Amino acid sequence: MKASDLFVKALEAEGVEYIFGIPGEENLDLLESLRNSSIRLVLTRHEQGAGFMAATYGRLTGKAGVCMSTLGPGATNLVTAAAYAQLGAMPMLMITGQKPIKTSKQGQFQIIDVVDMMRPLTKYTHQIGSAHHVPARIREAMRRAEAERPGAVHLELPEDVAKEETDSAVIHKSRFDFPHATGHSVAAAVKMIESARHPLILIGAGANRQHASESLLEFIESTGIPFFSTQMGKGVVDERHPLFLGNAALSSRDFVHRAIDAADLIINVGHDVVEKPPFFMKSKAADSGYGNDGTPCAACAKVIHVNYVTAEIDPVYFPQQGVIGDLSDSVRRLAKATSHQAHWDFSRFMEVKRHLDRNLLEGAEDTRFPLYPQRIVADVRKIMPDDGIIALDNGVYKIWFARNYLAHMPNTVLLDNALASMGAGLPSAMAAKIVHPQRRVMAICGDGGFMMNSQEMETAVRLKLDLVVLVLRDDAYGMIKWKQAEMGFDDFGLDYGNPDFVQYANSYGAHGHRVRSADNLIPQLEACFSMPGVHLVEVAVDYSENDRILHREIPQQSALI
């Protein structure tokens, strides 16, 4: 059998449904093998978009998404997506071509060491040097990509190896179960929880990956312990729950941080330090869990690390107890073994929640135009069903959506708080629509992030996706402007011009729309969702009050609790 045919058969055995990418000359044997396979090639307009789509497919399914490029410049265009998947714990396999490695007559044309380039960005990278090695290399790459903690892997298939004949056979997946936490670690964690006075649950990205919703809900409701989430942990438990204390969208001084400050024990379920930490530990945590004045504080709180892998120790994160193993099983065992304690006191937490809930309503009915971000968030929430998916690019609006948009189900708010790359919003939404064709899916992008991969509008149109793309226009890199103002610098160097987004969308065969008043946003979005095709909705956004609200008002109001 030809090596490229065996390569594709091995991918089929892994359950691969799609390959996203742009083939080059060095991929043509593989492309021909794909033509006769069950795998669908999704041709994109840039390799970065293909990588973001593959990573999001992996994020939503738990199976490695696959993307492909040629050698040299095609491979270098995958680098950002590799980092996105690796830091965000999204299983993804990248396949790159290469010149013949045994009889090349083209010198060093387009040749760089792609395997070495990918090494710091992946869990596994390898050049396939013989057709006989194809089955083992694919099985190992997929195994590593999907194993906890998931991430990016890379295989290079040289042109001459792809043509080789081999009698090797596909290596099929082996069955396995995640190891379970030891009884001793569960018992130790239960003792800490029951001994605490103000325990608090933190839900991170790992709980979203492995669908721990049911066991977490059981744990929360059987104990009555309140919870909060990181940005990438949104929706694991319905955020309308009466014990939800908010999302750690801001780094500090938000209402949720007043609750964190009051905790003497944080039960960290699925969070790791790759995502921006919602609290910082200090060495005092090893003692009583209380500050010098006898009051609890987050920096002094003890931490239980519940995850698939042990904690990566950091100057700001060094948990006292680990519960390591299948995350859902660990949480279910904690729920069964932990008894509600009469000395637990959640009054401070619930006071914080009352203030937060009132704050989240501020600006939701604001009628000014250009629209304020709080109004945009509120209107999007109103028109998205429980299972509707929003895919956020990166910009200051991401903070508003993470903070104010209550997620009702797991993986319905796709945002990146690990690499936090711009340009991922549109490709991520496209992948979400491919995985969930019956759901409402909306890409939400700033004008800056949208333009970084806006060429994938053509891909979305060609794929006949029913998709809404909301472009928030402020004609500037708004997040950096916000930080610039926070640091007291003059407004400089961050403004740009934009195309006419309505005409731009129409030029791709999509449908362009422009919102002209605050009251027009919901009707326009509903109209777009009622019609087939790709719809771009441009809305002008006003971030002028971000600095006042996020840096002054919220810290001042929360400090008064």
Side-chain angles (χ1 to χ4, degrees):
M1 183 186 296
K2 187 176 166 183
S4 61
D5 290 338
L6 180 60
F7 196 104
V8 170
K9 287 187 178 300
L11 292 178
E12 288 178 320
E14 296 288 340
V16 173
E17 301 174 289
Y18 302 93
I19 293 181
F20 307 92
I22 304 176
E25 179 183 344
E26 290 71 26
N27 306 113
L28 289 178
D29 286 282
L30 184 61
L31 187 65
E32 176 62 16
S33 298
L34 281 173
R35 186 176 66 85
N36 298 303
S37 77
S38 63
I39 299 172
R40 182 179 177 185
L41 174 68
V42 177
L43 182 69
T44 61
R45 303 306 300 267
H46 194 285
E47 292 86 355
Q48 187 183 98
F52 286 147
M53 291 178 75
T56 302
Y57 177 94
R59 178 180 190 171
L60 291 172
T61 66
K63 302 187 299 182
V66 182
C67 55
M68 174 174 67
S69 81
T70 188
L71 79 171
T76 59
N77 281 346
L78 286 176
V79 163
T80 299
Y84 175 81
Q86 182 73 351
L87 290 185
M90 306 175 200
M92 178 178 76
L93 167 63
M94 297 172 287
I95 303 164
T96 60
Q98 188 53 275
K99 296 292 184 187
I101 57 174
K102 299 172 183 178
T103 57
S104 178
K105 298 180 180 179
Q106 296 194 41
Q108 296 299 307
F109 177 65
Q110 288 193 313
I111 293 179
I112 59 172
D113 189 337
V114 176
V115 172
D116 205 38
M117 177 182 73
M118 291 293 187
R119 203 173 306 281
L121 300 172
T122 59
K123 297 177 70 178
Y124 178 78
T125 177
H126 200 89
Q127 181 189 78
I128 298 177
S130 166
H132 304 300
H133 297 161
V134 166
R137 297 305 180 198
I138 290 179
R139 178 79 282 273
E140 178 62 7
M142 297 294 276
R143 182 190 72 80
R144 293 206 197 185
E146 295 173 1
E148 283 290 336
R149 185 179 183 268
V153 297
H154 165 250
L155 290 174
E156 181 177 82
L157 181 63
E159 188 176 2
D160 52 351
V161 175
K163 298 177 186 294
E164 288 180 358
E165 293 292 324
T166 178
D167 57 2
S168 294
V170 168
I171 299 175
H172 291 276
K173 284 185 175 183
S174 55
R175 295 182 178 181
F176 73 96
D177 293 320
F178 283 114
H180 289 181
T182 66
H184 173 76
S185 65
V186 172
V190 169
K191 184 177 179 181
M192 290 176 68
I193 296 168
E194 292 183 344
S195 299
R197 284 189 282 173
H198 313 288
L200 181 62
I201 297 169
L202 161 62
I203 300 177
N208 238 331
R209 285 201 301 275
Q210 296 295 337
H211 310 296
S213 299
E214 187 177 317
S215 58
L216 264 166
L217 184 60
E218 179 187 351
F219 183 38
I220 290 164
E221 295 196 334
S222 66
T223 61
I225 300 175
F227 69 100
F228 71 103
S229 65
T230 68
Q231 291 188 35
M232 295 179 73
K234 285 183 68 65
V236 177
V237 176
D238 191 331
E239 292 177 350
R240 294 170 294 185
H241 195 284
L243 294 176
F244 177 63
L245 303 183
N247 180 268
L250 295 173
S251 300
S252 63
R253 301 194 299 163
D254 199 349
F255 292 88
V256 68
H257 297 104
R258 301 289 78 79
I260 297 170
D261 288 344
D264 61 350
L265 176 70
I266 295 175
I267 307 159
N268 177 354
V269 182
H271 175 63
D272 62 51
V273 295
V274 172
E275 186 178 2
K276 196 171 184 179
F279 65 89
F280 301 103
M281 295 181 68
K282 293 181 181 178
S283 57
K284 284 184 182 178
D287 302 322
S288 65
Y290 290 82
N292 294 330
D293 60 357
T295 59
C297 64
C300 305
K302 294 183 179 181
V303 175
I304 298 172
H305 178 85
V306 185
N307 215 315
Y308 292 90
V309 294
T310 56
E312 181 180 341
I313 302 304
D314 186 271
V316 299
Y317 189 68
F318 41 91
Q320 286 76 29
Q321 178 64 49
V323 181
I324 308 305
D326 182 281
L327 190 149
S328 185
D329 176 74
S330 296
V331 174
R332 186 170 287 109
R333 289 164 68 191
L334 289 173
K336 291 184 183 301
T338 305
S339 300
H340 183 89
Q341 301 296 302
H343 65 262
W344 283 346
D345 181 5
F346 302 133
S347 57
R348 173 68 170 171
F349 297 156
M350 302 319 294
E351 183 183 4
V352 168
K353 178 177 174 57
R354 286 191 293 273
H355 287 270
L356 172 66
D357 288 348
R358 284 199 297 269
N359 179 266
L360 292 181
L361 297 175
E362 293 182 9
E365 303 295 333
D366 196 300
T367 59
R368 288 173 288 182
F369 190 85
L371 269 76
Y372 277 62
Q374 302 96 307
R375 173 66 186 266
I376 295 172
V377 173
D379 283 4
V380 170
R381 180 65 278 181
K382 287 174 185 175
I383 61 99
M384 294 301 285
D386 288 354
D387 67 351
I389 297 172
I390 60 171
L392 296 162
D393 210 285
N394 266 282
V396 70
Y397 52 89
K398 184 184 79 171
I399 293 174
W400 284 111
F401 273 92
R403 185 181 186 275
N404 289 33
Y405 184 97
L406 299 183
H408 301 171
M409 292 175 60
N411 285 316
T412 54
V413 178
L414 303 182
L415 56 76
D416 167 27
N417 195 35
L419 182 65
S421 170
M422 295 174 71
L426 174 59
S428 295
M430 292 165 61
K433 190 63 180 180
I434 288 171
V435 173
H436 297 295
Q438 303 308 315
R439 295 198 197 179
R440 281 191 175 187
V441 177
M442 183 190 303
I444 301 174
C445 311
D447 45 9
F450 172 72
M451 289 303 292
M452 291 186 181
N453 270 310
S454 62
Q455 72 282 346
E456 301 306 339
M457 289 284 287
E458 188 279 326
T459 308
V461 170
R462 178 166 24 94
L463 294 176
K464 296 181 170 57
L465 299 180
D466 295 331
L467 186 69
V468 173
V469 183
L470 181 63
V471 177
L472 310 180
R473 179 172 183 167
D474 69 330
D475 299 320
Y477 291 114
M479 172 71 88
I480 312 306
K481 270 201 165 192
W482 174 49
K483 296 291 185 180
Q484 191 177 53
E486 179 189 17
M487 296 175 69
F489 294 131
D490 290 339
D491 183 355
F492 172 74
L494 296 170
D495 296 307
Y496 48 71
N498 272 310
D500 182 319
F501 284 116
V502 173
Q503 293 187 41
Y504 187 69
N506 293 340
S507 72
Y508 282 119
H511 309 279
H513 313 272
R514 181 172 291 115
V515 171
R516 300 189 182 279
S517 71
D519 292 337
N520 182 232
L521 179 58
I522 285 180
Q524 183 63 74
L525 292 175
E526 287 286 10
C528 292
F529 276 120
S530 71
M531 296 182 288
V534 179
H535 294 265
L536 182 151
V537 178
E538 175 200 310
V539 58
V541 60
D542 185 349
Y543 292 132
S544 63
E545 294 191 2
N546 274 358
D547 186 59
R548 177 181 61 81
I549 296 171
L550 297 176
H551 285 148
R552 296 195 294 277
E553 280 191 4
I554 289 175
Q556 289 167 3
Q557 291 173 10
S558 66
L560 294 174
I561 302 175

